[in-house]
Short mmCIF file of all heavy atoms in Angstrom, two decimals:
data_model
loop_
_atom_site.label_atom_id
_atom_site.label_comp_id
_atom_site.label_asym_id
_atom_site.label_seq_id
_atom_site.Cartn_x
_atom_site.Cartn_y
_atom_site.Cartn_z
N ARG G 158 -50.25 -18.87 1.71
CA ARG G 158 -50.48 -18.14 0.47
C ARG G 158 -51.63 -18.85 -0.30
O ARG G 158 -51.98 -18.43 -1.37
CB ARG G 158 -49.24 -18.06 -0.40
CG ARG G 158 -48.17 -17.11 0.31
CD ARG G 158 -47.12 -16.89 -0.54
NE ARG G 158 -47.51 -16.20 -1.76
CZ ARG G 158 -46.74 -15.71 -2.65
NH1 ARG G 158 -45.42 -15.80 -2.55
NH2 ARG G 158 -47.17 -14.98 -3.70
N LEU G 160 -51.41 -21.70 -1.69
CA LEU G 160 -50.88 -22.60 -2.82
C LEU G 160 -50.47 -23.87 -2.40
O LEU G 160 -50.22 -24.15 -1.30
CB LEU G 160 -49.65 -21.75 -3.33
CG LEU G 160 -49.83 -20.45 -3.96
CD1 LEU G 160 -48.46 -19.76 -4.24
CD2 LEU G 160 -50.67 -20.46 -5.19
N ALA G 164 -46.73 -25.66 -6.38
CA ALA G 164 -46.99 -24.34 -7.03
C ALA G 164 -46.13 -23.30 -6.47
O ALA G 164 -45.58 -22.43 -7.07
CB ALA G 164 -48.46 -24.04 -7.02
N TYR G 165 -46.09 -23.28 -5.08
CA TYR G 165 -45.20 -22.28 -4.36
C TYR G 165 -43.76 -22.42 -4.67
O TYR G 165 -43.10 -21.46 -4.88
CB TYR G 165 -45.41 -22.48 -2.83
CG TYR G 165 -44.71 -21.47 -2.01
CD1 TYR G 165 -44.97 -20.11 -2.14
CD2 TYR G 165 -43.85 -21.77 -0.98
CE1 TYR G 165 -44.43 -19.16 -1.43
CE2 TYR G 165 -43.24 -20.80 -0.19
CZ TYR G 165 -43.46 -19.45 -0.40
OH TYR G 165 -42.78 -18.54 0.36
N VAL G 166 -43.24 -23.67 -4.75
CA VAL G 166 -41.82 -23.92 -5.09
C VAL G 166 -41.60 -23.44 -6.55
O VAL G 166 -40.52 -22.72 -6.87
CB VAL G 166 -41.46 -25.35 -4.92
CG1 VAL G 166 -39.98 -25.62 -5.49
CG2 VAL G 166 -41.46 -25.77 -3.48
N GLN G 167 -42.48 -23.72 -7.37
CA GLN G 167 -42.35 -23.24 -8.75
C GLN G 167 -42.33 -21.74 -8.86
O GLN G 167 -41.48 -21.13 -9.61
CB GLN G 167 -43.49 -23.73 -9.68
CG GLN G 167 -43.34 -25.18 -10.02
CD GLN G 167 -44.48 -25.76 -10.83
OE1 GLN G 167 -45.52 -25.07 -10.95
NE2 GLN G 167 -44.41 -26.95 -11.29
N GLU G 168 -43.20 -21.08 -8.07
CA GLU G 168 -43.20 -19.55 -8.09
C GLU G 168 -41.87 -19.06 -7.60
O GLU G 168 -41.21 -18.07 -8.10
CB GLU G 168 -44.30 -19.10 -7.10
CG GLU G 168 -44.53 -17.70 -7.08
CD GLU G 168 -45.70 -17.28 -6.16
OE1 GLU G 168 -46.84 -17.48 -6.47
OE2 GLU G 168 -45.36 -16.70 -5.07
N ILE G 169 -41.33 -19.71 -6.53
CA ILE G 169 -40.04 -19.23 -6.02
C ILE G 169 -38.88 -19.38 -7.02
O ILE G 169 -38.07 -18.53 -7.25
CB ILE G 169 -39.67 -20.04 -4.69
CG1 ILE G 169 -40.58 -19.66 -3.59
CG2 ILE G 169 -38.16 -19.77 -4.38
CD1 ILE G 169 -40.44 -20.52 -2.38
N LEU G 170 -38.89 -20.53 -7.78
CA LEU G 170 -37.84 -20.80 -8.83
C LEU G 170 -38.06 -19.77 -9.96
O LEU G 170 -37.04 -19.25 -10.45
CB LEU G 170 -38.06 -22.22 -9.33
CG LEU G 170 -37.54 -23.24 -8.47
CD1 LEU G 170 -37.93 -24.69 -9.05
CD2 LEU G 170 -36.10 -23.19 -8.18
N VAL G 171 -39.20 -19.40 -10.34
CA VAL G 171 -39.44 -18.44 -11.43
C VAL G 171 -38.91 -17.10 -10.93
O VAL G 171 -38.23 -16.35 -11.77
CB VAL G 171 -40.89 -18.37 -11.80
CG1 VAL G 171 -41.27 -17.06 -12.66
CG2 VAL G 171 -41.37 -19.59 -12.50
N GLN G 172 -39.15 -16.66 -9.66
CA GLN G 172 -38.70 -15.48 -9.22
C GLN G 172 -37.14 -15.33 -9.12
O GLN G 172 -36.54 -14.38 -9.57
CB GLN G 172 -39.23 -15.14 -7.85
CG GLN G 172 -40.72 -14.82 -7.76
CD GLN G 172 -41.27 -14.80 -6.36
OE1 GLN G 172 -40.48 -14.98 -5.42
NE2 GLN G 172 -42.54 -14.49 -6.24
N GLN G 173 -36.60 -16.44 -8.74
CA GLN G 173 -35.09 -16.46 -8.74
C GLN G 173 -34.44 -16.49 -10.01
O GLN G 173 -33.51 -15.81 -10.24
CB GLN G 173 -34.59 -17.82 -7.97
CG GLN G 173 -34.96 -17.82 -6.44
CD GLN G 173 -34.23 -16.68 -5.79
OE1 GLN G 173 -33.05 -16.53 -5.95
NE2 GLN G 173 -34.89 -15.96 -4.90
N LEU G 174 -35.13 -17.13 -11.01
CA LEU G 174 -34.52 -17.12 -12.38
C LEU G 174 -34.74 -15.85 -13.12
O LEU G 174 -33.93 -15.44 -13.94
CB LEU G 174 -35.16 -18.23 -13.16
CG LEU G 174 -34.84 -19.68 -12.64
CD1 LEU G 174 -35.49 -20.71 -13.54
CD2 LEU G 174 -33.27 -19.93 -12.87
N ALA G 175 -35.78 -15.04 -12.67
CA ALA G 175 -36.00 -13.72 -13.28
C ALA G 175 -35.06 -12.74 -12.74
O ALA G 175 -34.86 -11.71 -13.42
CB ALA G 175 -37.38 -13.35 -12.98
N ARG G 176 -34.38 -12.86 -11.64
CA ARG G 176 -33.40 -11.87 -11.12
C ARG G 176 -32.20 -11.98 -11.90
O ARG G 176 -31.67 -13.01 -12.19
CB ARG G 176 -33.13 -12.12 -9.67
CG ARG G 176 -34.38 -11.94 -8.80
CD ARG G 176 -33.90 -12.14 -7.26
NE ARG G 176 -35.08 -12.08 -6.47
CZ ARG G 176 -35.11 -12.48 -5.18
NH1 ARG G 176 -34.03 -12.97 -4.74
NH2 ARG G 176 -36.16 -12.43 -4.46
N PRO G 177 -31.51 -10.77 -12.20
CA PRO G 177 -30.21 -10.85 -12.79
C PRO G 177 -29.14 -11.38 -11.73
O PRO G 177 -29.29 -11.20 -10.58
CB PRO G 177 -29.89 -9.40 -13.10
CG PRO G 177 -30.88 -8.62 -12.25
CD PRO G 177 -32.07 -9.48 -11.92
N ALA G 178 -28.28 -12.08 -12.29
CA ALA G 178 -27.23 -12.76 -11.43
C ALA G 178 -26.43 -11.56 -10.72
O ALA G 178 -26.09 -10.60 -11.33
CB ALA G 178 -26.27 -13.62 -12.26
#
Side-chain angles (χ1 to χ4, degrees):
R158 295 189 62 175
L160 298 171
Y165 185 59
V166 170
Q167 286 177 349
E168 184 179 290
I169 291 171
L170 287 173
V171 167
Q172 289 172 356
Q173 290 297 314
L174 292 173
R176 292 183 188 166

